Amino acid sequence: MDWVTVVVLLALLQYIVFAVLVGRARGRYAVKAPAVTGNETFERYFRVQQNTLELLVVFVPATWFYGQYVSPTWAAILGAIYLVGRTVYLRAYVADPAQRSAGFGLSVLPITVMVFGTLIAAGWKLLR
Amino acid sequence: MDWVTVVVLLALLQYIVFAVLVGRARGRYAVKAPAVTGNETFERYFRVQQNTLELLVVFVPATWFYGQYVSPTWAAILGAIYLVGRTVYLRAYVADPAQRSAGFGLSVLPITVMVFGTLIAAGWKLLR
Amino acid sequence: MDWVTVVVLLALLQYIVFAVLVGRARGRYAVKAPAVTGNETFERYFRVQQNTLELLVVFVPATWFYGQYVSPTWAAILGAIYLVGRTVYLRAYVADPAQRSAGFGLSVLPITVMVFGTLIAAGWKLLR
């Protein structure tokens, strides 16, 4: 057990919290299942969760691979930046979707660095 | 190879079945791609698959971590509860979306237990 | 580090590219967040990314398990077929959603083979 695992688990927990916020918004703004539109605020929470799902599916294996093949310390640091980025994204998106870029970039950047970083390390080892 | 792997694979297989049901509903109720709305029954099958996707992205790493760091036996048991919960959820949601809570809870609970359980185990080992 | 890891990383990278295409289409066709409908071309790119997300969540663990328990060489080959299938799917879907079947089948088939293949291998080892 190491900090990489802890960061990945915290990302899973953060996503669960985002999903709970969607459920709460569904009740509060009376958006009945299976509808996922009809109230702007609900849609914002829903899109934050969906966007986090879209990143999480890459974040989990990317962090694990990067920690395994490049650097566990940097995997934990980049993972922590992702966590902060997602929190900024949630707050900005719910307040005003047009302001979502900063938080989006802050959470996409570490994922991209880890995917490319591991690919370069892999290519290096396989080709030399 | 162990029961944890088998349970995770069965969850992947169950999700594939849910996706096939969406494809069948798309044909049966004539919802043409890229539309994902327009027929209530199609939307129910679609939301069941989407909701399962939303959980699966957490379920797979959570079960793997919990099996690795806490208990493989309990990971397999909790994973099996998730599988049952998802089946209940599918049946209830398609019949009446308002009845989806029991199956939802039954599949969310084991995931939450495994995320928190592994985090507590991780915190314990890192901090003592 | 092996070819299985490289193929999984390339699948993550391909998915990031698909997400970038959605972001570009959002700007080009002026679909303002949180909306995900309103322009047919945007919706096609969006559905390609969503469909790839729906497969990726199964592809990553399936490839990993298959490479671990059945054959790393075949995992890499089947993973490469998935990558080609997704590229065909993108091109076909954006040109005409009705033509998406071939690319869809080409990317779903290797995933299904790997899930069933690992399950059969697992069942064999556990039951004999």
Side-chain angles (χ1 to χ4, degrees), chain B residues 1-6 8-10 12-13 15-16 19 26 33-36 46 49-50 53 56-57 60 64, chain C residues 40 43-44 47 50 53-55 57-58 61-62 64-65 69 93 97 100 111 115-116 118-119 121-122 125-126:
Chain B
M1 178 76 75
D2 49 36
W3 286 106
V4 177
T5 307
V6 172
V8 170
L9 284 164
L10 288 176
L12 299 180
L13 189 62
Y15 170 75
I16 291 172
R26 191 179 271 288
V36 290
F46 182 67
Q49 185 219 348
Q50 291 297 307
L53 169 63
L56 198 62
V57 76
V60 173
W64 196 82
Chain C
E40 170 78 17
E43 285 181 42
R44 290 178 187 186
R47 288 305 312 154
Q50 291 297 309
L53 168 64
E54 291 167 18
L55 295 190
V57 76
V58 181
W64 196 83
F65 282 139
Y69 296 116
Y93 202 126
R100 71 190 188 282
I111 295 176
V115 169
F116 275 102
T118 319
L119 261 179
K125 279 191 188 171
L126 283 170

Side-chain angles (χ1 to χ4, degrees), chain B residues 38-102:
Chain B
N39 174 277
E40 171 78 16
T41 307
F42 168 79
E43 285 181 42
R44 291 178 186 185
Y45 278 108
F46 182 67
R47 288 304 312 153
V48 168
Q49 185 219 348
Q50 291 297 307
N51 188 268
T52 304
L53 169 63
E54 291 167 18
L55 296 191
L56 198 62
V57 76
V58 180
F59 175 80
V60 173
T63 308
W64 196 82
F65 282 139
Y66 193 84
Q68 198 80 358
Y69 296 116
V70 183
S71 157
T73 307
W74 275 103
I77 292 167
L78 289 163
I81 293 171
Y82 161 89
L83 285 172
V84 172
R86 279 291 99 183
T87 307
V88 172
Y89 183 76
L90 169 75
R91 286 166 175 264
Y93 203 126
V94 171
D96 176 11
Q99 302 301 319
R100 72 192 188 280
S101 306

Side-chain angles (χ1 to χ4, degrees), chain C residues 101-114:
Chain C
S101 305
F104 183 72
L106 205 57
S107 43
V108 164
L109 190 72
I111 295 176
T112 313
V113 166
M114 291 191 287

Side-chain angles (χ1 to χ4, degrees), chain A residues 29-62:
Chain A
Y29 303 108
V31 179
K32 282 185 98 165
V36 289
T37 52
N39 174 278
E40 172 77 17
T41 306
F42 169 79
E43 285 181 42
R44 291 178 186 185
Y45 279 108
F46 182 67
R47 289 304 311 154
V48 168
Q49 185 220 347
Q50 291 297 307
N51 189 268
T52 304
L53 169 63
E54 290 168 18
L55 296 190
L56 197 62
V57 77
V58 180
F59 175 80
V60 173

Side-chain angles (χ1 to χ4, degrees), chain A residues 40 43-44 47 50 53-55 57-58 61-62 64-65 69 93 97-98 100 108 111-112 114-116 118-119 121-123 125-127, chain C residues 1-13 15-16 19 26 31-37 46 49-50 53 56-58 60 64:
Chain A
E40 172 77 17
E43 285 181 42
R44 291 178 186 185
R47 289 304 311 154
Q50 291 297 307
L53 169 63
E54 290 168 18
L55 296 190
V57 77
V58 180
W64 196 83
F65 282 139
Y69 297 116
Y93 202 126
R100 72 190 187 282
V108 165
I111 294 176
T112 313
M114 292 191 285
V115 170
F116 275 102
T118 319
L119 261 178
K125 281 191 186 170
L126 283 170
L127 298 176
Chain C
M1 179 77 76
D2 50 36
W3 287 106
V4 177
T5 307
V6 172
V7 164
V8 171
L9 284 164
L10 288 175
L12 299 180
L13 190 60
Y15 170 75
I16 291 172
R26 190 178 272 288
V31 180
K32 285 186 94 164
V36 289
T37 52
F46 182 66
Q49 185 219 349
Q50 291 297 309
L53 168 64
L56 198 63
V57 76
V58 181
V60 173
W64 196 83

